[in-house]
Every structure is written in C-alpha cells, then in structure tokens.
Amino acid sequence: MFPIDASSIDKSLPVPVGTQLHGLLSYTLAFGDMAYGTKLPSVRQLAAELGIAPMTVSQVYQQLRDAGLIEMRQGLGAFTVRDPRLAVDDTQPINALRGDIEAIVGRAEALGVSTLELVSMINAQAQLRRPSVGLSMVFVCIFEGPGRDYVEQIRPALSANDSMQLVTLESLRQPGAERDACHRADLVITFPHREAEVRSLAGIEHVLALRFIPSQHTRQNLAGLDPRTRVAAVTHFQEYIAIMRPSVREFAPHVSDIRVTWSSSPDLKEVIAGCDAVIYASGADHVADLVRPNVRCFEYRHAPDPGALENTLAPHLAELRQRRIAREVGHEAAVVEGMTPA
C-alpha cells in the first residue's frame, strides 16, 4: 500500500490541507521508491485517515493524474505510474551483456571504483574506439544554483561530445531562447513531478523524467543530529510544507522536535529563534542569513539517483545515438544514390 503519514498534514498551519496533501503526494510519487502499480488509498479511506473532506482528496488525485504521476483505473482506484527501479527492456540487445556488466560492476566495487566513475571510464574507452555521436540536451531546473550542480553530477554519464544547457522552469513560461533550446535539443531532462509541466510549457514531447534522491551530504547531516535537537524545517514552496517533517524523520528518526514553516511565513524568524538546527529546502537559501552563528544550518539538497542515471538515462541516450546514426547513414546513402548516374 502507498505510504502516507497522516501526521504530516498540519491543520494548524495557514496552508490549505488540500495544498499540503498535493505537495506531500507529488513529492512522494516523484522522489519515492514505489513500484509501478502501487495502489493509493481510496478517496474515502484517505479522507477518513486525514480527517478531511473526500472532495479535497478527489481534487488532489485529479491534479496528480493531470500531472502524469498517477493513473485512475475505472472501479479500482488510483495507482502509481512510475517504477524508479525499472530496468532496461528485456528485449533490448544490451541484455545480452548483463552478465559481463554485472562482473565488471562487481570488480569495480571491489576496487573502490564508483558506478559513475566506471561509466566515465567506459565512455572514455568508447571515444578511443570511434567518434561518438554528440547529443544536445537541456536540463530544466527550478532553481539555477542547485541546477548547475545537478548538471555537473549528470555529466559523468554523458559522452564527451554531448552538451547540456541549463534553463529554469520559470523561463519557459514565456516564448524565448529557452523554449527554442528545448525544441532544438535531442532530449530535455527534468524532475518527475515537473515532466508534464515542462511538456506543456515548452510544447514538446521529448522530455525524460530523471529521478532524484536526498544527497549523501544531506543524509549524513540529518543522521548526525543530536536526538535532543529542536529542528526548524523550512520549505520554499508552501505546497511542500507537509513533506518537510517526514523528509527529516526519514534520516533522523531519533529527532522528535521538528517545527515546519515556509521561507516567507510571518512566523519564520520566531520559529528559527526557538530551534537548535535549521534545515531549509533548495530555493530558501536566504533563511541561512536569519540563523544565529552558533546554530547548525544546512540545505536539504537532492542529487541524481545513480540507479536512474544507469538504468534510465544511459539506455535512453544509447537509443537516441542509434537513431541519429541511422538517420545520418540513411542521409548519406540518399546523397550517394542521388549522385549515381542512372
């Protein structure tokens, strides 16, 4: 069953419970680890568990369906539509190499070589064998600062001839160079919960949703908190306020005193003043300026899921390269045929 922490919905906050629920579910669906076809609670069941109106839950489910995060099956209910652990289709030729790949990955792990380093080595070796077909990509981020870091974290999975341009979601709301870049690109990459929005804003279909997970640095910082710590968890978007408490508890289950707020809330300074540690979501960087020097403060940052880079992005790029090669070969053959005397 789909995991929902009812205590994450705080009715005392000046944020509508429908908004809180939508943020909680969309985040969990985008960044969680639910298999395809996982059933969500029924509208009536979830409404009863949360103590809210069934109409509110129904509206949230419709929004999630429109965003491509769930599917509604007639007479059966709502189900997840993504499987972040989905591997390459068994019918693809690459599966003939699965045994060899497993052996190489195992050997690399024994030598302390990370998966991304191994991918980079394979890419480098491939460059020596033949020129690679370069692909043009665009990464659509929400905030430019973290977006630059995400691009650098994705680069080891790319070929040396590939290019990746960074654009913000906000820049796509108006016609301009950013939309044009998305139209020209071989592939546009973004977060799962923003995929439908990017497709709509840019008017394109070649969008790949890449899964992200809490970064290693974030997990370590949370795990290192003292159990007695009074934590302030600050989100940038009100919509995602309900996800802050369970996000902290996931890696700091030993911490019980967690207050949540958002970066423009009237009580922000008061909440921060009463806490021993401040954790802020990406985009709420200015919160750090309000924290006293002796108070621990860090960003809840995400990073590309290595499994998604390996099992989602790499096969997709390989397929795009094969298509490009096939088109170029077909074009060259047509040119030669056109030059051949009848």
Side-chain angles (χ1 to χ4, degrees):
M1 179 63 72
F2 189 90
I4 297 177
D5 183 0
S7 66
S8 300
I9 304 297
D10 190 343
K11 297 177 184 177
S12 67
L13 295 171
V15 180
V17 292
T19 300
Q20 293 186 47
L21 180 60
H22 180 268
L24 176 65
L25 294 181
S26 64
Y27 180 94
T28 304
L29 288 162
F31 298 100
D33 195 25
M34 282 71 62
Y36 168 79
T38 299
K39 191 178 188 305
L40 276 69
S42 70
V43 168
R44 292 188 179 277
Q45 178 187 349
L46 185 55
E49 290 177 359
L50 300 179
I52 62 178
M55 179 61 69
T56 300
V57 177
S58 178
Q59 290 173 345
V60 169
Y61 276 11
Q62 290 173 22
Q63 292 169 348
L64 296 172
R65 179 200 60 195
D66 293 344
L69 293 174
I70 66 172
E71 62 182 5
M72 307 299 292
R73 301 178 186 174
Q74 185 67 31
L76 298 176
F79 295 81
T80 60
V81 297
R82 300 186 184 283
D83 188 347
R85 298 160 293 187
L86 189 63
V88 183
D89 188 339
D90 288 339
T91 62
Q92 295 187 13
I94 194 173
N95 284 279
L97 301 175
R98 282 194 178 277
D100 296 324
I101 293 173
E102 181 63 30
I104 293 173
V105 171
R107 177 64 173 160
E109 290 177 349
L111 295 173
V113 178
S114 71
T115 303
L116 286 182
E117 289 174 322
L118 181 60
V119 170
S120 296
M121 293 170 62
I122 293 174
N123 279 337
Q125 184 62 34
Q127 298 302 315
L128 297 176
R129 293 176 60 86
R130 62 176 177 80
S132 176
V133 174
L135 297 174
S136 170
M137 283 166 274
V138 170
F139 183 80
V140 180
C141 65
I142 302 173
F143 304 107
E144 190 171 344
R148 286 193 295 267
D149 293 338
Y150 298 153
V151 168
E152 291 308 310
Q153 291 164 344
I154 294 172
R155 283 196 191 282
L158 307 181
S159 166
N161 293 339
D162 291 338
S163 65
M164 180 171 286
Q165 179 179 342
L166 180 70
V167 305
T168 63
L169 187 65
E170 189 63 31
S171 70
L172 296 181
R173 300 192 187 282
Q174 299 294 332
E178 289 78 8
R179 279 195 192 177
D180 293 340
C182 291
H183 281 272
R184 292 193 304 268
D186 295 298
L187 181 66
V188 175
I189 302 172
T190 192
F191 309 101
H193 65 309
R194 299 293 184 179
E195 179 185 3
E197 189 174 6
V198 169
R199 290 179 186 272
S200 176
L201 289 174
I204 57 175
E205 291 298 324
H206 53 288
V207 180
L208 178 69
L210 188 66
R211 183 172 182 251
F212 281 68
I213 58 176
S215 70
Q216 181 67 23
H217 185 66
T218 296
R219 296 197 298 268
Q220 290 174 344
N221 278 333
L222 290 171
L225 290 174
D226 187 288
R228 299 164 295 180
T229 303
R230 295 171 299 170
V231 173
V234 186
T235 180
H236 178 75
F237 298 107
Q238 285 189 39
E239 179 181 0
Y240 294 110
I241 194 168
I243 197 61
M244 293 305 295
R245 188 175 283 113
S247 293
V248 172
R249 284 177 175 165
E250 181 178 6
F251 303 105
H254 53 287
V255 176
S256 60
D257 191 348
I258 305 171
R259 293 189 63 183
V260 298
T261 186
W262 69 97
S263 59
S264 59
S265 172
D267 70 345
L268 177 63
K269 292 183 179 180
E270 177 186 344
V271 171
I272 290 177
C275 293
D276 309 310
V278 177
I279 304 163
Y280 60 90
S282 297
D285 309 60
H286 68 279
V287 168
D289 298 332
L290 305 176
V291 180
R292 302 188 307 274
N294 60 328
V295 173
R296 191 172 183 185
C297 179
F298 59 90
E299 178 184 356
Y300 196 107
R301 175 69 71 88
H302 289 79
D305 178 9
L309 293 177
E310 179 181 352
N311 295 328
T312 302
L313 181 60
H316 196 85
L317 295 182
E319 182 179 353
L320 288 177
R321 293 188 210 285
Q322 289 300 322
R323 291 179 185 174
R324 172 73 70 79
I325 292 172
R327 286 199 303 268
E328 292 179 355
V329 170
H331 176 70
E332 292 175 359
V335 170
V336 171
E337 183 178 351
M339 296 173 59
T340 303

